[in-house]
Amino acid sequence: MATPLATLGFFQSAVMKQQYDLAAYALNMNLIDEKNQRTRSLDLTKQLDFLLSEKELYVFDDMPDRPDGLIEPPLGNDSSVMGIPRRSIQLGYIEYRERRVPVYLERVRVGDQAPVWMFSAQTVGNIENLYKQYHPSEFERYLPTWLKFQFFGIALWEFSALILFFLFTMGVGWILSKSTEKLISRYVDNEKYNISAGSANGVADLANKLTVPLTFTISFSLVFTLVSGGFPYLDAVASSTRPLIWTGLVFSAMWLGIRTINFFANRYQDMQIENLGEEHFDKVRRRRTYVSIFRRVFIFVMILGSIWIGLSEFANMEGLGKTLLTSAGIAGVVIGIAAQPILGNIIAGVQVAVTQPVRIGDSVIMDGNFSTVEDLRYTYAVLKTWDERRLIVPMRQLITERVENWSHTEVHQTCPVFLYIDYGADIKAIRQQFISVTKDNELWDNETEPEIFVVEVTENTIQLRGAVSAVGPIEAWTLACEVREQMLGYLHQQQNKYLPTERFTLTESL
């Protein structure tokens, strides 16, 4: 056993001849009590041979045949391993629950004798635990051969058992969810608890909405308990499927959380917003803004957190975990650079929710369009124009660009009405007519007196500026339009000759 190749060949040859006591000389049992070494050596030899065969670790082609373990590098090869003497050589890995256990050959010197290659003491110490996970169960002897067929190192019967258990837990989860729904409905319908009808409907609706995601969450929880050591006969399939089941558990819990957030957000909107009267219009706009943005922010954070938690299980698997984390890191940098506008709009959305330069229901003028803020999403706002069009505006524009908000501090609004007349017009009569027309309109707020003043004169016309007020921006704008129209009719009928005209002076030519 002077070389790694010789040690591996010696061990396999002795096992094939069933000379297990001879094969045991290839095991470094320094970590085992000397009194038990002889009695345990035969079992450890048989178990190690089973593991090496099961996991295809008799890798003769990769073993160096030199006492120093050196691999002669090919011409031009710059590998950090080749060309360097080694004291240990890794045959490969064996999956054990959530981690990977390496199998090593190591170079050992006993006294003054020449060094020999043996299976490392750590590898020998792990043989029993690994064998317990992968050894054939007693009842497997009674299974038909086709059920023992292995797919990716896992027997077909193990896959079938896991699927049947998953279906069973789905049924258990469904029964628990529906039973909870029935109990809650029965509880809230009992008159002795004096629960209002609205609360009863709300609790029953919550139970109904959570039934499906709760079923999946309960099912994945039970299956995850199974593959985490709850049933030793499925250790092989558990090691392979545990990360996937963990991911399913995380995302089913995320689904349950999103349903819960949406339910309570909708209930808050129904009970604390929709029931407010017109006199609380400002409070309605503020609360709708909070609910619209923070609901989406919480869901966005929950999704990111679920993805991170889901990947944490893969991080425990050394090779795959490093590959996933490295790929995720590179992809994160690339996506972060490419998604700067998206992330900027999301952050701007949070800023809009906190500072509230605009709120849902506000009347604003943006890019020359008179609009109402209809909704605030993750990255954009929806503005509804007076002619039923929808403007999609990125959130960053609400922060970085100028927005004329007609209802930011209060709902009450005043609108201007401009009129142009000739110098001979009766301004006093026009003022009286303007005040009368405004007060007779049902949109007037009955509080602020309408006014009209001469604000500018030119060589041709006089400019009058009137002010009308209403309870809201839309009402004020509509009132201004109606008053303007009636005043034009009055000027045409009563002071037609004093409408703006162009004057020409004719002189007699010589």
Side-chain angles (χ1 to χ4, degrees):
M1 299 188 295
T3 70
L5 181 62
T7 299
L8 196 59
F10 166 80
F11 180 81
Q12 187 187 51
S13 177
V15 169
M16 290 176 63
K17 298 176 182 178
Q18 297 187 356
Q19 297 176 340
Y20 300 110
D21 54 344
L22 181 62
Y25 282 100
L27 307 182
N28 184 353
M29 293 191 288
N30 288 339
L31 298 181
I32 300 176
D33 189 8
E34 293 183 5
K35 298 179 181 179
N36 300 324
Q37 287 182 2
R38 180 176 295 273
T39 57
R40 296 182 59 186
S41 61
L42 297 181
D43 290 336
L44 291 174
T45 301
K46 296 177 183 179
Q47 293 171 3
L48 179 59
D49 173 64
F50 173 82
L51 293 172
L52 295 178
S53 301
E54 186 78 5
K55 298 302 177 182
E56 301 180 353
L57 294 182
Y58 278 116
V59 285
F60 293 101
D61 294 340
D62 298 333
M63 288 296 102
D65 195 20
R66 291 175 51 122
D68 56 4
L70 183 145
I71 302 175
E72 293 289 348
L75 185 63
N77 188 287
D78 57 353
S79 172
S80 60
V81 176
M82 294 184 178
I84 300 177
R86 293 179 289 175
R87 300 190 60 178
S88 65
I89 294 177
Q90 180 178 296
L91 300 181
Y93 290 98
I94 298 179
E95 300 288 344
Y96 182 72
R97 300 190 185 280
E98 70 275 7
R99 62 190 183 93
R100 307 175 79 183
V101 178
V103 178
Y104 284 104
L105 289 175
E106 64 179 359
R107 195 180 186 197
V108 180
R109 180 187 293 273
V110 181
D112 296 332
Q113 300 179 10
V116 295
W117 285 88
M118 310 175 70
F119 285 96
S120 68
Q122 291 79 10
T123 298
V124 174
N126 292 327
I127 290 176
E128 287 188 337
N129 290 331
L130 292 172
Y131 184 76
K132 287 179 181 179
Q133 176 170 306
Y134 291 99
H135 79 285
S137 306
E138 291 295 330
F139 68 88
E140 283 190 79
R141 299 177 182 178
Y142 306 101
L143 294 177
T145 305
W146 63 273
L147 282 177
K148 298 179 183 178
F149 176 76
Q150 292 192 347
F151 186 71
F152 291 109
I154 302 173
L156 181 60
W157 73 267
E158 292 182 297
F159 278 117
S160 303
L162 185 64
I163 293 174
L164 289 175
F165 185 78
F166 179 76
L167 295 176
F168 172 75
T169 55
M170 284 288 291
V172 172
W174 178 262
I175 292 173
L176 291 175
S177 301
K178 297 301 289 186
S179 299
T180 303
E181 180 183 351
K182 296 294 183 182
L183 289 174
I184 291 176
S185 299
R186 181 178 180 182
Y187 172 81
V188 298
D189 287 339
N190 197 332
E191 297 180 357
K192 69 178 182 179
Y193 292 101
N194 295 322
I195 299 179
S196 65
S199 299
N201 292 336
V203 175
D205 184 52
L206 174 62
N208 182 56
K209 289 183 180 296
L210 299 187
T211 296
V212 176
L214 184 60
T215 298
F216 277 93
T217 303
I218 293 174
S219 176
F220 276 111
S221 299
L222 294 175
V223 175
F224 185 74
T225 302
L226 175 75
V227 299
S228 297
F231 195 67
Y233 296 109
L234 293 177
D235 278 342
V237 70
S239 299
S240 302
T241 60
R242 188 175 187 271
L244 298 177
I245 294 172
W246 170 255
T247 303
L249 173 59
V250 170
F251 282 94
S252 61
M254 179 191 71
W255 184 14
L256 181 64
I258 292 176
R259 281 285 183 92
T260 305
I261 290 175
N262 283 329
F263 172 80
F264 284 106
N266 292 334
R267 291 293 292 175
Y268 177 81
Q269 183 166 337
D270 293 339
M271 300 177 65
Q272 301 294 329
I273 298 178
E274 301 299 336
N275 291 336
L276 294 176
E278 295 182 358
E279 65 275 9
H280 299 107
F281 184 65
D282 186 66
K283 185 181 295 184
V284 169
R285 289 181 293 130
R286 184 167 60 252
R287 290 184 178 180
R288 279 184 177 173
T289 303
Y290 282 135
V291 171
S292 177
I293 293 183
F294 283 114
R295 178 215 303 253
R296 292 180 171 89
V297 169
F298 289 152
I299 292 176
F300 180 73
V301 172
M302 180 175 292
I303 293 174
L304 290 182
S306 298
I307 294 174
W308 180 258
I309 294 173
L311 289 176
S312 66
E313 180 64 25
F314 291 93
N316 292 328
M317 304 173 63
E318 184 176 341
L320 180 60
K322 288 182 179 179
T323 303
L324 286 175
L325 291 178
T326 302
S327 302
I330 297 174
V333 173
V334 175
I335 294 174
I337 295 175
Q340 280 186 356
I342 297 176
L343 296 177
N345 282 315
I346 292 175
I347 295 173
V350 177
Q351 186 176 351
V352 167
V354 175
T355 60
Q356 294 197 352
V358 296
R359 294 166 294 189
I360 294 178
D362 276 356
S363 299
V364 299
I365 295 180
M366 193 167 189
D367 296 332
N369 293 283
F370 183 85
S371 313
T372 301
V373 180
E374 190 173 51
D375 197 5
L376 298 172
R377 305 291 179 88
Y378 283 111
T379 58
Y380 63 89
V382 180
L383 306 184
K384 179 181 178 181
T385 63
W386 65 273
D387 55 354
E388 301 295 331
R389 291 179 294 117
R390 299 298 190 277
L391 302 179
I392 308 302
V393 179
M395 280 292 192
R396 296 177 67 176
Q397 292 189 15
L398 300 179
I399 300 296
T400 59
E401 296 188 8
R402 182 179 298 176
V403 180
E404 184 177 335
N405 193 332
W406 284 28
S407 54
H408 183 260
T409 55
E410 60 178 348
V411 181
H412 183 271
Q413 187 70 44
T414 300
C415 270
V417 178
F418 291 96
L419 299 174
Y420 297 88
I421 57 175
D422 196 34
Y423 277 92
D426 186 349
I427 296 177
K428 184 176 180 180
I430 293 175
R431 179 177 289 112
Q432 291 177 351
Q433 180 66 21
F434 179 84
I435 294 174
S436 175
V437 167
T438 303
K439 289 185 176 181
D440 290 341
N441 195 300
E442 61 181 8
L443 295 177
W444 179 54
D445 62 3
N446 295 313
E447 294 180 1
T448 307
E449 288 291 326
E451 299 176 337
I452 188 167
F453 299 98
V454 176
V455 294
E456 186 178 358
V457 293
T458 66
E459 61 274 15
N460 296 320
T461 62
I462 298 175
Q463 182 182 5
L464 303 179
R465 182 186 186 278
V468 296
S469 59
V471 295
I474 301 298
E475 292 81 358
W477 183 81
T478 305
L479 175 61
C481 293
E482 293 180 0
V483 170
R484 184 184 300 110
E485 180 181 348
Q486 294 182 38
M487 289 302 299
L488 288 176
Y490 165 77
L491 292 175
H492 179 72
Q493 294 177 4
Q494 303 297 326
Q495 302 196 38
N496 186 34
K497 62 179 180 180
Y498 296 116
L499 292 176
T501 58
E502 291 186 9
R503 293 181 176 84
F504 295 93
T505 302
L506 299 177
T507 59
E508 208 177 295
S509 58
L510 297 177

